[in-house]
Amino acid sequence: ARGQGRARARRAARARLLRLSSSGRPLTSAAAAMEGALDAPGSSALRDWATTWPLFAKTLVAGGAAGAVAKTSTAPLERAKIMMQTGQSHGVGGSLRRMWCEEGVRGLFRGNSAAVVRVTPYAALHLMAYEHYRRAMVSHVGFERGPTTDMLAGAASGATAVAFTYPLDLVRTRIA
């Protein structure tokens, strides 16, 4: 029974990905993910936001949120790495145990807010630019969907995100 439920969920997710948008073009991966979020119970505010905001704004918000969640979820390991680099601890397990015993949960996420502030604009611009470049390559330049298009769009979006967020990193470095 459990395997059948998972298979049914996978089929529903695939069907959402294949569903066509109002313009007749297949939904992008970000748009398909937002479509799935709209089906959640009690999501009327999310549904209003998703139907009225332009796509670039939605991908900016989704990218920023994804970057913040990713950075926060890896914060304890990042702090353990810094502790090992500075010689304060030997080994990941020892570093995590020391943080937990000496500072509790707050110790695991110490310094995370600065990292999130730095990563959020980069991740937001990266996702937005990626979706834009990929759509433009397929619809205007004539590229076919595939790994080459994804690689080129990813490279261009990475360069765009770095170009726009480098001044923020420079200011942060000068202040610190």
Side-chain angles (χ1 to χ4, degrees):
R2 184 181 238 180
Q4 291 173 348
R6 287 183 185 155
R8 191 176 314 122
R10 267 190 250 114
R11 280 194 303 273
R14 264 191 229 113
R16 278 195 297 272
L17 285 173
L18 296 175
R19 193 180 313 148
L20 295 177
S21 68
S22 59
S23 64
R25 287 180 286 183
L27 291 172
T28 63
S29 55
M34 286 181 217
E35 266 303 295
L38 297 179
D39 296 337
S43 61
S44 62
L46 183 61
R47 190 175 298 110
D48 293 342
W49 169 78
T51 56
T52 57
W53 282 28
L55 183 61
F56 82 90
K58 290 186 254 188
T59 54
L60 271 173
V61 171
V69 167
K71 196 50 124 169
T72 300
S73 64
T74 60
L77 295 175
E78 195 68 33
R79 179 132 188 260
K81 178 186 81 170
I82 291 169
M83 288 176 73
M84 290 176 3
Q85 288 172 340
T86 58
Q88 295 176 6
S89 184
H90 303 288
V92 176
S95 298
L96 292 172
R97 192 171 20 264
R98 181 176 172 193
M99 283 185 278
W100 180 262
C101 291
E102 291 178 6
E103 303 173 67
V105 176
R106 294 185 86 184
L108 296 173
F109 296 97
R110 190 164 154 210
N112 185 50
S113 58
V116 168
V117 166
R118 192 181 107 254
V119 160
T120 300
Y122 172 82
L125 283 170
H126 195 277
L127 180 65
M128 192 253 335
Y130 172 77
E131 292 289 343
H132 174 76
Y133 291 146
R134 192 168 61 111
R135 259 192 325 275
M137 290 171 143
V138 170
S139 62
H140 299 303
V141 180
F143 279 71
E144 290 186 22
R145 290 181 188 267
T148 305
T149 305
D150 291 342
M151 182 191 71
L152 292 172
S157 67
T160 301
V162 166
F164 279 96
T165 59
Y166 180 74
L168 296 174
D169 276 342
L170 188 63
V171 167
R172 184 185 64 86
T173 305
R174 296 259 168 107
I175 289 172

